[in-house]
Amino acid sequence: MAGTRDGAVARALAVFDGGGFRETLAELVAIPSTSQEEAHRPDLDRYLGALQRWLERLGFAVTIHPNPLPGLGPILVGLRHEGEGLPTVITYGHGDTVRGLAEQWRDGLEPWRLVERDSRWYGRGTADNKGQHALNLAALEAVLAERGGRLGFNLKVVIETAEERGSQGLRAFVEANRARLAADVLIGSDGPRVMPDVPTICTGTRGTFHFDLAVRLRSGGVHSGHWGGLTRDPAIILAHALAAIMDRNGRILVPGWTPAGGMPPSVKAALAGCPLGGGGEAATIDPGWGEPGLTPAEKVYGWNSFIVLALLSGKPDGPVNAVAPDAWAHCQIRYTVDTDPAAFEPALRRHLDAHGFTEVRIERPGVRMPASRTDPDHPWVRFVSGSIARTLGCPPQVIPNSSGGLPGDVFVDHLGVPLVWIPHSYTGCKQHGPDEHVIPATLREGLALMAGLWWDLGEGTTPR
């Protein structure tokens, strides 16, 4: 008897409800594959080895390649070719995580052990990104079983282990393997939904531009009693410079740092009525913060933001009675494709000089991760949206780019593929911090919609 779409979805849900997916995720979380600590470099190989065995059971030809850049983690490629003329999909994930930060987790929780508490699954990588690409593979396995060992399309899997170090080496690898990785579309999962219970499609990501601001006035501190009120305080100068960059309510003041033509109509249309929330107890949406006249969704998905990531002057761990010699801030711009990052540094220099801050230096400016975007109305986006709606009975929320960063630009630039990201997490998951977790109900829904999507890709109705 031929398999059915409903049968594939039911198989996937049965694996989840029977505890099979939780067991698989627990095994993956237990591998401490952080790329941010050299001692765990062998664990990156262990993690890809575990995925290699899984993919080979699913009929993939798997190879693991050294990173083109020395000192960085390897890259796995899995290929499953079912025939010429069939649609070819490439999917992406990353097996590396940030540091475990074990000492910061709540009692009873730890980074490298999956723990269930308060209807959540805790563990490093549960959200970013082990849980997400493992879910997609589990859904794929259900479709293969239901279709008798066939997918009906070609699939290429790329799993890197240096994403938490800026995906260094991935661009060079994809460029060198352009023909081998050629595909019609990228469908991957990372990042958060707009809300935990709202299925979401992201068609790109904001980029990140980093720089330091520094005020260096003298070789050492001077006595605050003898010199206070006479000599310039670098912390005060830097504070005023930062206030010239962004006002009291979070509006960017530097000309050239926001989209010159405003928000594109297609972006604004995609975000009309878009909900936003589920950040948990760690964050709030402050109505008066950010660009005036924009909705919360437009601010985070369709606009640029400026953030001070670190700020230092003097000796915070042991203040002394001295006027500090210098002050420093590490800053970041999260930007969309509607602004040119090459203009950020010169625009800031002009702005600071015009406001009398010629002594404020701009150091180490540059893009860490470029922005990317596929048109929200692209045929592939519509296809995936329709598939999700068919499974869940309601359409997903489409957003033009997620709020965070991913290396989608690499695949756009070298493979020319449209981007369709389907996140299975939420903004309150505490990724990159202690107590990282996922919501099982969100994962279960994600498993169902991915099984439906993998099935639909093999039905001969994909965009051409």
Side-chain angles (χ1 to χ4, degrees):
M1 179 178 177
T4 66
R5 187 184 195 275
D6 288 345
V9 173
R11 281 179 183 269
L13 292 178
V15 170
F16 190 93
D17 295 340
F21 180 75
R22 185 188 186 283
E23 181 179 343
T24 297
L25 182 56
E27 293 172 355
L28 297 178
V29 168
I31 302 173
S33 55
T34 171
S35 59
Q36 297 183 342
E37 295 177 292
E38 183 58 33
H40 288 288
R41 172 62 183 79
D43 293 310
L44 303 180
D45 298 305
R46 286 180 57 209
Y47 188 84
L48 292 191
L51 288 192
Q52 179 176 12
R53 292 188 291 274
W54 189 2
L55 287 167
E56 287 176 344
R57 291 197 303 270
L58 301 184
F60 285 80
V62 180
T63 51
I64 297 177
H65 306 262
N67 195 297
L69 299 182
L72 294 164
I75 300 170
L76 176 148
V77 174
L79 303 177
R80 183 184 168 93
H81 185 81
E82 293 197 358
E84 298 298 327
L86 295 177
T88 299
V89 177
I90 187 167
T91 189
Y92 161 90
H94 64 91
D96 64 317
T97 72
V98 297
R99 292 176 178 86
L101 305 175
E103 69 283 357
Q104 299 180 26
W105 289 58
R106 284 185 290 151
D107 290 345
L109 303 179
E110 53 187 275
W112 312 119
R113 182 170 67 93
L114 189 69
V115 175
E116 186 169 358
R117 179 187 292 181
D118 303 325
S119 300
R120 297 174 177 180
W121 292 351
Y122 290 85
R124 178 64 81 220
T126 51
D128 188 21
N129 172 253
K130 295 178 180 181
Q132 302 215 36
H133 63 252
L135 183 152
N136 291 353
L137 294 181
L140 187 77
E141 190 166 15
V143 170
L144 279 167
E146 182 70 11
R147 238 185 200 134
R150 292 191 68 257
L151 289 176
F153 63 96
N154 305 316
L155 183 60
K156 303 179 179 184
V157 177
V158 174
I159 306 290
E160 65 158 320
T161 56
E163 196 272 349
E164 300 298 359
R165 296 180 64 181
S167 290
Q168 297 180 71
L170 181 65
R171 176 172 288 273
F173 179 81
V174 173
E175 182 178 16
N177 292 273
R178 185 178 308 184
R180 189 180 188 201
L181 298 177
D184 298 307
V185 63
L186 181 144
I187 298 175
S189 297
D190 204 338
R193 291 176 167 192
V194 296
M195 294 183 70
D197 58 349
V198 178
T200 302
I201 292 175
C202 308
T203 64
T205 56
R206 289 199 293 182
T208 58
F209 183 92
H210 289 245
F211 61 93
D212 293 342
L213 289 179
V215 180
R216 309 184 194 281
L217 299 183
R218 56 187 70 89
S219 59
V222 294
H223 194 285
S224 60
H226 302 326
W227 291 99
L230 296 177
T231 193
R232 292 180 296 166
D233 187 328
I236 298 298
I237 293 171
L238 181 57
H240 282 273
L242 290 169
I245 293 172
M246 175 171 275
D247 73 12
R248 169 66 178 79
N249 296 310
R251 183 182 187 183
I252 294 174
L253 302 176
V254 182
W257 273 21
T258 56
M263 194 175 300
S266 63
V267 171
K268 202 165 187 68
L271 294 175
C274 175
L276 188 66
E281 67 276 8
T284 59
I285 297 174
D286 299 315
W289 187 263
E291 183 69 17
L294 300 183
T295 67
E298 289 171 342
K299 290 175 184 178
V300 76
Y301 299 132
W303 205 249
N304 297 353
S305 58
F306 170 68
I307 308 96
V308 178
L309 299 180
L311 188 62
L312 180 67
S313 186
K315 300 293 182 183
D317 55 342
V320 297
N321 290 323
V323 181
D326 50 39
W328 165 90
H330 183 69
C331 305
Q332 179 192 74
I333 303 172
R334 291 272 180 176
Y335 70 96
T336 72
V337 296
D338 307 306
T339 44
D340 180 4
F344 289 154
E345 190 272 339
L348 178 58
R349 183 72 272 162
R350 290 191 300 270
H351 186 72
L352 291 174
D353 290 350
H355 285 75
F357 296 110
T358 56
E359 70 270 66
V360 178
R361 303 181 187 182
I362 305 170
E363 300 176 343
R364 301 191 302 161
V367 172
R368 294 279 181 89
M369 192 166 283
S372 60
R373 182 192 294 152
T374 293
D375 191 315
D377 196 38
H378 191 282
W380 270 105
V381 178
R382 294 199 304 269
F383 176 86
V384 174
S385 181
S387 173
I388 294 174
R390 184 179 176 189
T391 301
L392 303 181
C394 62
Q397 174 66 55
V398 177
I399 57 176
N401 45 258
S402 72
S403 49
L406 284 170
D409 61 290
V410 170
F411 300 97
V412 172
D413 292 348
H414 294 301
L415 303 183
V417 290
L419 303 174
V420 183
W421 299 103
I422 307 170
H424 306 308
S425 183
Y426 77 115
T427 54
C429 69
K430 297 188 176 181
Q431 66 184 88
H432 291 196
D435 301 347
E436 179 181 345
H437 62 272
V438 286
I439 301 173
T442 300
L443 291 183
R444 186 180 188 276
E445 186 175 76
L447 188 60
L449 68 86
M450 288 303 301
L453 176 57
W454 293 138
W455 182 274
D456 290 342
L457 286 164
E459 289 288 88
T461 58
T462 59
R464 293 293 182 180

